[in-house]
């Protein structure tokens, strides 16, 4: 496969996943502003954030620009994707323009976020259900899971970062603080479609350590960091020129670090630092894949 085509497929999938994950992160903040807590955004700040991350033409990571870039990359790689995939991506872009031209999305962002997530799910379902499992498919999957790992780490760190910055524990000690803390952790779980999974796995109250365990280390949790790295390794093996490449080594190290990580009481205070290191290493992994397999083009990557 031509590296330019592989590059377009990789980034098409990344941008669609990025749009979905931006919607998920904004939904966490939407739920948080309803809580009378010190660490959440004020309504005015959230409204500004909403405009910047949904419809801003000048923000390369806005949902609008992510889906626009996904469509453009799909157009470039049109010969390597089937009609069903192209029509799904193109229709998503056309529907988005119609939604943004109206004001309803801003009045009810929850419904808009659900639309973004549904269109992303549809894209993956169509690709998995209709595409030949060749190199084109595997480069798309690589883009999906590199981006998803980045997003899960950022969503999880949105709470641990506050705790680290303010020098407190993961939960407030007063009764009201416990209640607000529970709702925030619950919103994080819902943001990665993991609230029902958490209840099935743990059958207990939501605790920071178990949320971290679920979203970092559970291989059967679809959006966990370990699940993402498992998929990255599988798809790298499918397209890899050598299992000794820098991409393979980097992905293997990340997977091993996650697999054998001990998440206990002592580690809880170190989770923010761990997630920050993971984000740096995942970014380097994306750079390694680009340098070894893809064309060097200007792509906006959240760092």
């Amino acid at each position: 496969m031509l590296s330019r085509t592989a590059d377009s497929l990789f980034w098409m999938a990344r941008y669609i996943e990025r749009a979905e994950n931006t919607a998920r992160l904004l939904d966490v903040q939407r739920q948080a502003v309803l809580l009378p807590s010190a660490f959440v955004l004020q309504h005015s700040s959230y409204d500004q954030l909403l405009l910047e991350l949904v419809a801003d033409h000048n923000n390369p990571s806005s949902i609008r620009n992510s889906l626009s870039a996904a469509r453009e990359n799909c157009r470039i790689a049109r010969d390597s994707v089937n009609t069903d995939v192209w029509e799904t991506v193109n229709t998503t872009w056309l529907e988005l323009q119609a939604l943004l031209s109206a004001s309803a999305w801003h009045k009810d962002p929850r419904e808009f976020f659900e639309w973004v997530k549904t269109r992303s799910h549809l894209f993956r379902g169509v690709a998995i259900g209709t595409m030949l499992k060749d190199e084109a498919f595997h480069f798309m999957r690589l883009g999906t899971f590199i981006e998803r790992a980045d997003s899960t780490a950022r969503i999880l760190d949105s709470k641990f970062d506050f705790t680290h910055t303010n020098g407190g524990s993961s939960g407030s000690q007063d009764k009201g603080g416990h209640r607000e803390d529970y709702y925030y952790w619950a919103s994080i779980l819902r943001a990665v479609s993991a609230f029902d999974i958490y209840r099935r796995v743990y059958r207990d109250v939501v605790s920071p350590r178990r949320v971290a365990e679920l979203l970092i280390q559970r291989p059967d949790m679809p959006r966990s960091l370990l699940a993402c790295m498992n998929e990255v390794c599988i798809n790298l093996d499918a397209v890899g020129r050598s299992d000794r490449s820098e991409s393979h080594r980097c992905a293997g190290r990340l997977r091993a670090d996650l697999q054998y990580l001990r998440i206990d009481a002592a580690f809880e205070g170190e989770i923010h630092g761990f997630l920050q290191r993971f984000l740096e290493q995942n970014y380097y992994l994306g750079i390694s894949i680009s340098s070894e397999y893809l064309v060097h083009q200007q792509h906006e990557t959240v760092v």
Side-chain angles (χ1 to χ4, degrees), residues 5 8-9 12 71-87 90:
T5 301
S8 294
L9 294 166
M12 173 186 66
R71 181 191 181 277
E72 178 61 17
N73 278 284
C74 190
R75 185 192 64 77
I76 293 171
R78 182 67 182 86
D79 291 340
S80 296
V81 299
N82 59 23
T83 300
D84 291 329
V85 170
W86 162 249
E87 289 183 349
N90 190 49

Side-chain angles (χ1 to χ4, degrees), residues 2 19 40 50 52-53 80 85 92 97 106 121 133 140 161 172 174-175 178-179 204 231 252-253 268:
L2 294 175
V40 299
L50 188 66
E52 290 177 359
L53 291 182
S80 296
V85 170
T92 297
Q97 290 180 296
H106 192 260
H121 297 331
K133 303 306 185 288
M140 287 168 54
D161 183 25
S172 303
D174 61 281
K175 189 174 181 180
H178 277 305
R179 183 174 60 252
D204 199 357
E231 290 289 343
R253 285 195 302 268
E268 190 172 331

Side-chain angles (χ1 to χ4, degrees), residues 163-281:
T163 302
H164 171 82
T165 302
N166 289 272
S169 63
S170 297
S172 303
Q173 296 303 310
D174 61 281
K175 189 174 181 180
H178 277 305
R179 183 174 60 252
E180 292 165 10
D181 213 43
Y182 165 80
Y183 285 122
Y184 196 90
W185 285 117
S187 71
I188 285 179
L189 288 170
R190 290 190 176 95
V192 291
S193 301
F195 186 74
D196 292 335
I197 294 174
Y198 185 98
R199 293 194 299 180
R200 285 184 59 188
V201 171
Y202 297 108
R203 302 180 184 276
D204 199 357
V205 296
V206 176
S207 72
R209 193 190 315 167
R210 286 180 170 175
V211 171
E213 178 185 277
L214 182 69
L215 299 187
I216 291 174
Q217 205 170 31
R218 291 280 306 201
D220 51 355
M221 166 59 203
R223 305 189 76 87
S224 76
L225 302 186
L226 181 55
C228 290
M229 283 304 111
N230 284 340
E231 290 289 343
V232 167
C233 290
I234 289 170
N235 287 281
L236 271 177
D237 287 342
V239 302
R241 302 187 183 110
S242 168
D243 59 4
R244 298 180 181 178
S245 71
E246 182 61 21
S247 297
H248 277 80
R249 285 194 292 269
C250 184
R253 285 195 302 268
L254 270 175
R255 179 169 63 175
D257 288 345
L258 294 166
Q259 188 172 1
Y260 297 107
L261 179 67
R262 185 189 296 275
I263 300 180
D264 53 18
F267 179 72
E268 190 172 331
E270 302 174 7
I271 291 178
H272 170 66
F274 173 84
L275 292 171
Q276 288 298 304
R277 290 191 298 274
F278 176 85
L279 286 166
E280 292 173 2
Q281 292 165 344

